[in-house]
Each structure stands twice: as structure tokens, then as C-alpha cells.
Amino acid sequence: MADSVSPQHHVPADLPDRIRHYIDGAFVDSVDGATFDVLDPVTNDTYVQAAAGKKADIDRAVAAARKAFTEGPWPKMLPRERSRVLNRIADLVESRDARLAELESFDSGLPITQALGQARRAAENFRFFADLIVAQADDTYKVPGRQINYVNRKPIGVAGLITPWNTPFMLESWKLAPALATGNTVVLKPAEFTPLSASLWSGIFEEAGLPQGVFNLVNGLGEDAGDALVKHPDVPLISFTGESRTGQIIFGNAAPYLKGLSMELGGKSPAVVFADADLDAAIDATVFGVFSLNGERCTAGSRILVQREVYDEFVERYAAQAERVKVGYPHDPATEVGALVHPEHYDKVVSYIEIGKGEARLVAGGDHPADFPAGNFVRPTVFADVKPDARIFQEEIFGPVVAITPFDTDEEALELANGVKYGLAAYIWTNDLKRAHNFSQAVEAGMVWLNSNNVRDLRTPFGGVKASGLGHEGGYRSIDFYTDQQAVHITLGKVHNPTFGKSA
């Protein structure tokens, strides 16, 4: 490790000396031997090199996954048998949650307490789908005495999973669990910024008894490994989480193959605070909603719209609380905002802060904390009096930066809430029951929370509208995405066929 490491900075023991692909049950290097650097976000020093996958590596992984699908036992196993494997995976993740959190926090810069919560959520994702596939009921339609029609679900084949660098291990589990539960085989392409925790899946899956070739992992850049996975003719499904522009590229590249696509993309979600709201709860929730996970979350309530009657009080109290949010080393249990994931992303966030200083009133943060001379640290930043045409109002920053804007009427609040290209989440704070439901149904967002921060039941659909995504996953929507639904029709009585060509 380089000399720039602070004595306060925790480096996990037993880090790998390199990160390799995992294909057909074995760790392998790239076909061409290429690697890329993986950085420690606290120091921006390279701590390991990872295999840089390209088309040849994706071809090997897809071939292994395809063979496991067509010749292996996994797709043909009874749901209960697959469920037992998934529950063992959940047990193993739970038993290793402290180590997973330690590695995730080190690799991504997330605070250790929040990384631990994400590790536990990953275990719950597997346990949820283990239960769901056993309890799954498919549709049957009867025409008494004439016909029965039923739906037969079948795994589709090789699922290509492309995951982001924010909460990487949990978001990988979010895709892996339903893809595997439904009998598919997979090729995972994790984000290049954070490949460390993904490298642990292979050992967990082997120990749990997942058959060889069912899970394959190829590291690499999006434009190389990700692009090859999207364009591979033997990969009928792509599930992607990431920024909207990348989603547009994937959409175009997948179109010639008519692939199934599920894309959870960017967000610029509004939190709308009406004058009758519980301000204490609203302030706590909106501070957490944008600064947790270092602000690197697609559902962050990064635009706060506040009714004029309480606007000044809200801004004053919000700014004061944001100033008290603890920025610290990721491993410190007291840390609430750690280091941003990568210098490239840090530069983007800082550039938006500089833009914001020319567009609005800075009331908290706005700079690099003096206690951390190195690394990707940013003080929680709050802008007030933000106009709806400001870039910090319109564009996704994906960091600990929030824009606060006043409104007078319900109609104005709705216009502001819907006045961006994104539509992932919305948070509504009011004690007026009619307003709460009417506003929720009118807001352009795939998910709405009323008087609540982002607490999601795994049975509900997750997805956005407009530039925030295509399709939904979660609960039965995930089962729908990862299976073909085949309608089977059985005639019970006399066959009623129109007669063609009977007469001479």
C-alpha cells in the first residue's frame, strides 16, 4: 500500500493479490491477459488489479452458462430443490456479513454501518426468492366442460446481469437471486470501480451447492465486457442498473436481437414537503434520503420542494442538520458520509457543486472537508432558492448534494415535481389524506413514499418511468422477467373446429 495511507484508514486483512474472472467453475485470467487498476477511494491509490474482460472472455462465459442451461441439472430441478440452494446462499451471506461489509466499505467508500445493512439485505433477497418460487402459483382459466387453459413458466436461458458500483453486492443479489431461482444460468458483469465484493460470490455459490457453470463472472469495462454481453446472440435477457445514458446505448445495442430488457436507470427524485407536514420527521427523512449511501443512490430525494409557509424554517433547520452530518473514514462506525467511490465520480460531483454556486444560494457544505486532505471526500452540500431551470435541479448529480425549492400551491408543487426527465421515486410529506393520495397518483414516479423514507417491501415492483427505466423487477415482476410464460390450452369436450375444404 502506498505511503499516502492515513494511520486512521483501515485496510482489510487478506485482500486478494489480484481479481480474476470466474468461468465454468474456475478462476481465470483474461484471454489477452489484460488488467485494470482498482482504486482505494480514501487514498485513490491502486490496491489491486482486476482482469479486464473483453469479447473473448464473454464468449467463454456465455458458452459455459449455455452449456449449464442446456445440459446441466439446474433448470430441471424442482423449485424446492433450487430453494434449498438459495437458502444456503442466504445463510452463508448472513454468516459472513461482517467480512462482506468490511470489503464493500473499503472498496466503495460506503460507511461501514450502511455496508453491513446492505450485506444483510443481500441475504434477504435470496431468502425471499427461495420462498417465492416454492409458493408460486400460476394462472389457470376454465371454461366448464369445454376447456382448461393454464400458464406454464419456463426459465429463458442465459441472463446477462450488469450491475452498478453503488451498494454493489446487494444490487448483484437483487438480480442474481430471481435469475437463479427461476432456473436460469447467469453471466454477471460487475461495475469496474467496485469488483472486490463480487469476487466473493463464487465461493459462496460453490459452498451452497450451485452446479458448475450456472454462475459466471467477467470483470471489465462497460464498453468492452458489458457491450459484448449485451450483443451476444446467446444471451436473451439483459438486466441493467446504471445511468440513463448507458441505458440508452444498451437499448440500441440489444434491439437487433430483440432481447428482454429490464433497466433501472437514473433519478432526480422530489421530496415534497407541505406546510401541514411533521417537519421534524420530514427533515430527518430528507437528510437521510439524500446523504445516506454517500448520496450515491438512484432513489435519493435530491430535490426538496417546500411550501412557502414553512420554507425559511425548513431551510434553516435542514442546513444546520446537514452541517452536523459526520464525514469520516468508511470503516468508522460513527461515519455517516464516507468517501465517494472514484476520483472520476468525485470530479463530477465537485463540478456540479461549482455550477450550483452560480445558480443558487449555498447554505451548507460545498467543499472538501479540511480533515481529509486526500481521497474523495465531500461535505454534505445544500443549495436553497434553486430555480427549476437550474442544472442542479434538472440533472442527476449522484452525490451528497441537494437542491431546495419553494412552492405556493399544490398545482405548482406537482409541476415542479414532474418538471424533469426522470421519474423513479417521489416522497410526499403531508397530513392531508386526500392530498396525499391525489398527489401520489398524479406525480410521474414509479414509486412513491408517503410520510416515509425509502423503506421497500420486497414484494412490490421496483422501477421508474420516463428516463428512469424500462420495466419492473421485485416480487412477481422479477419472476415474470426471468421466465417465459407459455399458455397451454386443453379441450375437454367435443372439438369445435370450423370445417374448411370438406365439400367436393
Side-chain angles (χ1 to χ4, degrees):
M1 188 62 63
D3 294 338
S4 60
V5 175
S6 162
Q8 296 176 278
H9 175 41
H10 173 72
V11 178
D14 302 320
L15 286 174
D17 57 0
R18 57 180 171 160
I19 295 175
R20 307 171 78 191
H21 311 308
Y22 181 79
I23 298 175
D24 203 18
F27 289 102
V28 296
D29 294 320
S30 294
V31 171
D32 65 1
T35 62
F36 63 92
D37 294 340
V38 185
L39 306 185
D40 170 357
V42 168
T43 65
N44 287 328
D45 293 329
T46 299
Y47 77 88
V48 74
Q49 289 197 321
K54 297 186 177 67
K55 183 179 183 300
D57 305 290
I58 290 292
D59 287 346
R60 292 170 67 194
V62 172
R66 182 67 188 161
K67 181 179 179 182
F69 183 78
T70 57
E71 301 178 18
W74 187 250
K76 304 175 187 68
M77 291 169 75
L78 292 173
R80 174 64 73 187
E81 294 175 315
R82 289 201 300 268
S83 175
R84 290 192 181 102
V85 176
L86 265 64
N87 273 311
R88 286 197 292 269
I89 292 168
D91 291 340
L92 289 166
V93 171
E94 281 183 346
S95 71
R96 299 172 188 180
D97 59 358
R99 176 63 172 172
L100 285 166
E102 180 187 33
L103 296 180
E104 187 92 312
S105 177
F106 172 75
D107 196 31
S108 69
L110 289 175
I112 185 68
T113 53
Q114 296 169 41
L116 184 61
Q118 297 298 314
R120 291 170 178 167
R121 184 70 161 187
E124 181 59 24
N125 283 332
F126 274 92
R127 208 170 299 288
F128 173 83
F129 283 104
D131 292 342
L132 191 60
I133 57 167
V134 173
Q136 177 186 316
D138 290 321
D139 296 326
T140 302
Y141 306 95
K142 300 177 183 178
V143 182
R146 295 184 64 182
Q147 194 177 57
I148 292 178
N149 314 274
Y150 69 87
V151 176
N152 176 42
R153 289 182 183 271
K154 301 190 292 186
I156 296 175
V158 179
L161 312 179
I162 303 175
T163 53
W165 45 257
N166 62 320
T167 64
F169 191 82
M170 190 282 290
L171 287 174
E172 289 153 9
S173 75
W174 195 341
K175 299 179 188 299
L176 286 165
L180 295 174
T182 48
N184 297 282
T185 58
V186 302
V187 176
L188 170 66
K189 206 298 283 185
E192 57 264 32
F193 287 174
T194 53
L196 181 58
S197 59
S199 67
L200 301 176
W201 284 118
S202 55
I204 292 169
F205 288 154
E206 285 183 7
E207 193 169 338
L210 192 70
Q212 180 177 322
V214 171
F215 169 75
N216 303 273
L217 183 152
V218 177
N219 294 292
L221 307 183
E223 56 266 35
D224 295 326
D227 185 66
L229 185 59
V230 169
K231 293 177 179 176
H232 201 291
D234 288 335
V235 179
L237 291 175
I238 296 290
S239 177
F240 169 74
T241 299
E243 64 178 2
S244 298
R245 177 59 190 143
T246 307
Q248 290 176 312
I249 294 169
I250 289 174
F251 190 97
N253 287 339
Y257 305 95
L258 299 176
K259 292 177 185 270
L261 289 177
S262 176
M263 297 197 290
E264 191 267 286
L265 307 177
K268 192 72 175 178
S269 300
V272 185
V273 181
F274 289 93
D276 67 341
D278 179 339
L279 280 192
D280 291 338
I283 289 169
D284 279 345
T286 51
V287 167
F288 176 83
V290 75
F291 299 133
S292 58
L293 305 181
N294 297 345
E296 298 165 330
R297 58 186 304 168
C298 53
T299 55
S302 54
R303 294 181 298 136
I304 305 179
L305 313 177
V306 184
Q307 199 156 26
R308 187 87 59 183
E309 294 94 310
V310 294
Y311 180 76
D312 290 340
E313 178 188 356
F314 184 95
V315 169
E316 181 180 356
R317 292 177 58 187
Y318 191 96
Q321 189 155 328
E323 290 282 8
R324 294 192 295 270
V325 172
K326 179 173 174 53
V327 179
Y329 288 107
H331 75 279
D332 184 349
T335 292
E336 293 168 323
V337 171
L340 300 186
V341 67
H342 191 275
E344 180 182 308
H345 184 61
Y346 170 84
D347 289 345
K348 173 193 170 185
V349 172
V350 169
S351 73
Y352 271 107
I353 291 174
E354 293 308 308
I355 290 168
K357 290 175 181 177
E359 292 184 325
R361 176 165 60 101
L362 179 67
V363 294
D367 56 10
H368 190 110
D371 295 342
F372 300 93
N376 306 319
F377 294 94
V378 176
R379 290 175 63 211
T381 299
V382 183
F383 288 102
D385 309 340
V386 181
K387 304 294 185 186
D389 60 351
R391 289 185 64 186
I392 61 169
F393 186 96
Q394 291 289 331
E395 299 174 19
E396 186 179 38
I397 299 172
F398 217 66
V401 182
V402 66
I404 308 180
T405 300
F407 69 88
D408 291 298
T409 65
D410 291 31
E411 293 75 17
E412 183 186 4
L414 184 63
E415 183 179 358
L416 289 168
N418 291 342
V420 298
K421 69 179 182 179
Y422 298 101
L424 188 57
Y427 307 87
I428 315 301
W429 291 88
T430 180
N431 283 314
D432 184 322
L433 184 62
K434 288 183 180 178
R435 169 195 278 156
H437 288 289
N438 287 330
F439 198 98
S440 296
Q441 292 171 32
V443 73
E444 293 169 350
M447 299 167 287
V448 181
W449 280 268
L450 293 175
N451 298 319
S452 168
N453 99 40
N454 185 331
V455 179
R456 180 175 161 265
D457 188 311
L458 289 176
R459 294 170 294 183
T460 60
F462 188 103
V465 299
K466 303 195 294 189
S468 286
L470 176 73
H472 290 81
E473 295 189 40
Y476 271 108
R477 276 72 174 186
S478 292
I479 302 295
D480 288 342
F481 177 69
Y482 289 105
T483 56
D484 279 327
Q485 298 178 55
Q486 179 188 58
V488 180
H489 308 276
I490 307 104
T491 298
L492 298 178
K494 182 180 178 182
V495 179
H496 298 283
N497 284 334
T499 303
F500 278 25
K502 187 171 184 179
S503 300

